[in-house]
Amino acid sequence: MAFSISRRGLLTGTAAGVGLGFVGSAMAAEPQQKINISRTAARSDKPNVILIVTDTTRRDHIGAYGNSWMRTPSLDHLASQSLRFTRAVPEAMPTVPARRSIHSGMRTFPFRDWEKRSGNKSGVWGWQHIPDDQPTLAEQLSGAGYTTMLVSDVPHTFKPSMNFARGFKVMQWIRGQEGDDYMPIWMADDRFLDRYMYQTAGGKDLTSKGDNLMLANELRQYLANNVDRDGEEDYLAARVFRTASRMVENVPPEEPFFLAIDSFDPHEPWDAPRHYADYYDDPDWNEPEPVSPRYGKSDYLTERQLKRMRALYAGEITMVDRWIGYFLERAEQTGLLDNTLVIMTSDHGMALGEHGALGKPSFALWPEMTDTPFFIRHPDGKRAGEAMDYFASTHDIAPTILAFAGVTPKTELDGTNLMPTLDGEMPEDPREHFTSGMNDYVWASDRKFTLIAKNDGTEARLYDIVADPEQMNDIAADNPDEVKRLYDLVVKDAGGAPLPHYDQG
């Protein structure tokens, strides 16, 4: 089953039925090296696996999930060839807890036995390594004869203390994201920093103290890391997917492969080439760009600044989508997709002011944070273009891939194998509800209600997601029995004991 967006379709957006003339500009400038088909024609009989993870990707910002104004032709086309899950929620958030479950197949929530391991200064509950004695997905596939490859620009992935890279034979760290001290910070040109927003409408200096100063320093580090960036092909997302393309074009033909692609974009800062944001906003915008949010309440921004921030985020997604399309087209040209399972998902979304929240604060577990894309593309085209409302999650990825590859897990996994869904069957775990959490907040949902609360059950908010899918009307006060029922499910899924609490002083 080919990923058959034509060259013309990619350049014009016609593969998704939209006009998107600017999207292919970087592809046109990218040198198109000839693919060595002789290396890819005679492949192992074992199937291959490609896992694509993009950070901070809201499900409602993808056309295939019903968005009529976003331009995501590559993901939309991938969805047309995949089974699309409409209730996918990470079993734990944010970045590191989600990746821990992706690479291990084990639940991270409810964050029991959390500790700040040496070298990890994060205060987020569950921001922790994969246990040393817990086999990873890559280790198990490597032991079964797979060439295991990782391409990522997520700095946390390569910290030895996290154990996420265990089992990968080939690794490419595309450096330069966020606070990665890749280059000396003094290399940043503060004239470029002036393009970014540091003041509120009232003129308050956002770099004066605390989180604001940290934000300024992170942006300076980011600018220093990317000081030599020229065209779009030099952007980090482009470098990730271009490197992944070279991987699949040159992988040894005698071995099946597992390729994990983990793109930090569309994580902030949202600084895609200007034309991407201009597609979603006034091209005449000439104010400093709000490329990175302060996590918490959104009221420090004016409505106009918030609108611009939303456009920057949308533009970043469209840029990432374009380079996903570049990668998938190159992979299709090798013929590899005829024998390759492709899974695409994200670790969480991003609040952009919908509930008065901005960024990824723990309390903001509304759909803009919890609802993520989840596609499974089977090489035989099973259930292509169909949708399913099963609660698929991050810890299901490892058991699903192992089942597809015919590899028996070394230990019992918490996640469930989703391969039966491609044959029209239900997985072993029916999941009439699902629970998740972030830091000291918990989330629970069935197909009628959603609960958000502190992990001790206080500050509960309840929503009727049938009548109120955007979760704007809190009905907890009038429905205490439903609040208790859903919170009891949280405790049950957490093992029955009270949820842990960590006092960080």
Side-chain angles (χ1 to χ4, degrees), residues 3 49-55 57 75 78 99 102 151 240-241 244 258-263 265 320 323-325 327-328 331 337 341-347 373-375 397 401:
F3 189 86
V49 179
I50 295 173
L51 170 63
I52 301 173
V53 179
T54 58
D55 207 289
T57 306
L75 288 174
L78 178 62
R99 281 165 178 79
I102 287 172
V151 181
V240 166
F241 287 101
F258 167 52
L259 171 62
I261 309 169
D262 196 347
S263 171
D265 289 324
V320 172
W323 288 102
I324 290 175
F327 165 76
L328 289 172
L337 293 187
L341 184 81
V342 179
I343 295 179
M344 183 273 165
T345 192
S346 182
D347 55 357
F374 199 119
F375 304 144
I397 290 172
I401 290 175

Side-chain angles (χ1 to χ4, degrees), residues 99-119:
R99 281 165 178 79
R100 178 177 169 180
S101 58
I102 287 172
H103 288 284
S104 70
M106 305 298 290
R107 290 212 70 167
T108 302
F109 178 78
F111 316 128
R112 298 198 188 279
D113 304 317
W114 173 65
E115 61 182 11
K116 286 188 179 181
R117 193 170 185 175
S118 177

Side-chain angles (χ1 to χ4, degrees), residues 34-44 48 245-255 257 330-340:
K34 185 176 181 181
I35 297 173
N36 189 346
I37 300 298
S38 64
R39 290 184 55 84
T40 62
R43 287 288 173 185
S44 166
N48 310 304
S245 298
R246 291 194 294 271
M247 290 277 195
V248 297
E249 291 166 8
N250 293 283
V251 66
E254 65 274 9
E255 297 182 12
F257 69 84
R330 300 288 285 184
E332 190 276 330
Q333 290 174 358
T334 69
L336 292 171
L337 293 187
D338 295 339
N339 191 35
T340 300

Side-chain angles (χ1 to χ4, degrees), residues 8-71:
R8 179 178 177 81
L10 275 168
L11 296 184
T12 64
T14 55
V18 296
L20 193 58
F22 63 81
V23 169
S25 59
M27 178 178 287
E30 165 73 1
Q32 297 296 302
Q33 297 179 352
K34 185 176 181 181
I35 297 173
N36 189 346
I37 300 298
S38 64
R39 290 184 55 84
T40 62
R43 287 288 173 185
S44 166
D45 290 335
K46 287 186 176 181
N48 310 304
V49 179
I50 295 173
L51 170 63
I52 301 173
V53 179
T54 58
D55 207 289
T56 316
T57 306
R58 288 173 53 150
R59 185 161 72 217
D60 65 356
H61 275 51
I62 297 175
Y65 282 103
N67 188 303
S68 61
W69 54 268
M70 277 293 300
R71 268 52 182 180

Side-chain angles (χ1 to χ4, degrees), residues 314-483:
E316 195 88 7
I317 287 181
T318 295
M319 181 184 71
V320 172
D321 177 87
R322 210 207 57 63
W323 288 102
I324 290 175
Y326 172 90
F327 165 76
L328 289 172
E329 185 190 36
R330 300 288 285 184
E332 190 276 330
Q333 290 174 358
T334 69
L336 292 171
L337 293 187
D338 295 339
N339 191 35
T340 300
L341 184 81
V342 179
I343 295 179
M344 183 273 165
T345 192
S346 182
D347 55 357
H348 50 70
M350 163 66 64
L352 292 171
E354 291 84 359
H355 290 84
L358 197 60
K360 290 166 279 192
S362 302
F363 65 83
L365 298 183
W366 292 290
E368 51 267 25
M369 266 285 293
T370 62
D371 292 2
T372 52
F374 199 119
F375 304 144
I376 302 180
R377 178 195 182 276
H378 193 279
D380 295 336
K382 293 182 178 181
R383 299 198 67 180
E386 296 185 30
M388 186 175 183
D389 69 349
Y390 184 76
F391 285 109
S393 190
T394 44
H395 65 316
D396 299 328
I397 290 172
T400 300
I401 290 175
L402 291 173
F404 175 76
V407 178
T408 302
K410 290 184 178 180
T411 59
E412 184 177 354
L413 303 179
D414 292 337
T416 192
N417 169 23
L418 298 177
M419 291 306 296
T421 63
L422 297 171
D423 293 319
E425 302 173 2
M426 287 295 292
E428 184 176 335
D429 181 358
R431 285 190 188 159
E432 295 303 322
H433 74 276
F434 196 67
T435 57
S436 181
M438 179 172 173
N439 207 35
D440 56 345
Y441 279 80
V442 298
W443 177 96
S445 185
D446 53 20
R447 287 166 174 78
K448 175 63 175 174
F449 295 104
T450 289
L451 172 73
I452 304 169
K454 294 295 288 287
N455 81 333
D456 61 1
T458 62
E459 300 181 21
R461 290 162 287 175
L462 183 73
Y463 302 95
D464 181 338
I465 58 176
V466 176
D468 178 24
E470 295 183 358
Q471 300 178 23
M472 304 302 294
N473 182 27
D474 176 12
I475 59 173
D478 297 328
N479 296 272
D481 291 343
E482 290 297 337
V483 170

Side-chain angles (χ1 to χ4, degrees), residues 23 90 140 145 224 229 238 270 274 283 308-309 322 366 405 462 473:
V23 169
Q140 295 179 78
R229 189 170 63 187
W270 302 308
R274 171 70 185 245
R308 184 61 181 179
M309 181 175 282
R322 210 207 57 63
W366 292 290
L462 183 73
N473 182 27

Side-chain angles (χ1 to χ4, degrees), residues 84-249:
R84 172 173 46 91
F85 291 89
T86 60
R87 290 188 187 270
V89 175
E91 66 86 25
M93 295 167 275
T95 303
V96 164
R99 281 165 178 79
R100 178 177 169 180
S101 58
I102 287 172
H103 288 284
S104 70
M106 305 298 290
R107 290 212 70 167
T108 302
F109 178 78
F111 316 128
R112 298 198 188 279
D113 304 317
W114 173 65
E115 61 182 11
K116 286 188 179 181
R117 193 170 185 175
S118 177
N120 172 27
K121 299 180 181 179
S122 173
V124 176
W125 297 7
W127 194 282
Q128 195 163 336
H129 65 292
I130 296 174
D132 296 339
D133 60 352
Q134 190 174 94
T136 66
L137 172 60
E139 284 178 315
Q140 295 179 78
L141 289 174
S142 179
Y146 274 73
T147 296
T148 51
M149 304 176 288
L150 171 65
V151 181
S152 178
D153 62 339
V154 180
H156 316 296
T157 300
F158 295 93
K159 291 181 179 178
S161 61
M162 287 299 175
N163 286 336
F164 296 155
R166 272 188 5 220
F168 286 102
K169 296 179 180 179
V170 179
M171 293 180 286
Q172 285 289 319
W173 180 6
I174 310 300
R175 298 199 62 176
Q177 283 286 11
E178 205 181 39
D180 177 19
D181 54 355
Y182 171 51
M183 297 291 284
I185 195 170
W186 44 259
M187 291 189 66
D189 188 335
D190 280 359
R191 291 176 299 176
F192 291 98
L193 193 66
D194 291 341
R195 297 178 182 176
Y196 296 155
M197 195 197 81
Y198 283 98
Q199 290 187 337
T200 63
K204 180 181 178 181
D205 184 3
L206 294 185
T207 66
S208 60
K209 61 181 179 179
D211 291 342
N212 301 324
L213 180 59
M214 181 179 70
L215 176 61
N217 286 336
E218 282 189 353
L219 287 173
R220 284 192 174 93
Q221 182 66 66
Y222 179 81
L223 285 172
N225 292 344
N226 294 277
V227 68
D228 294 328
R229 189 170 63 187
D230 187 12
E232 186 178 330
E233 65 274 11
D234 298 323
Y235 278 66
L236 293 167
R239 291 171 60 197
V240 166
F241 287 101
R242 288 170 60 215
T243 301
S245 298
R246 291 194 294 271
M247 290 277 195
V248 297
E249 291 166 8

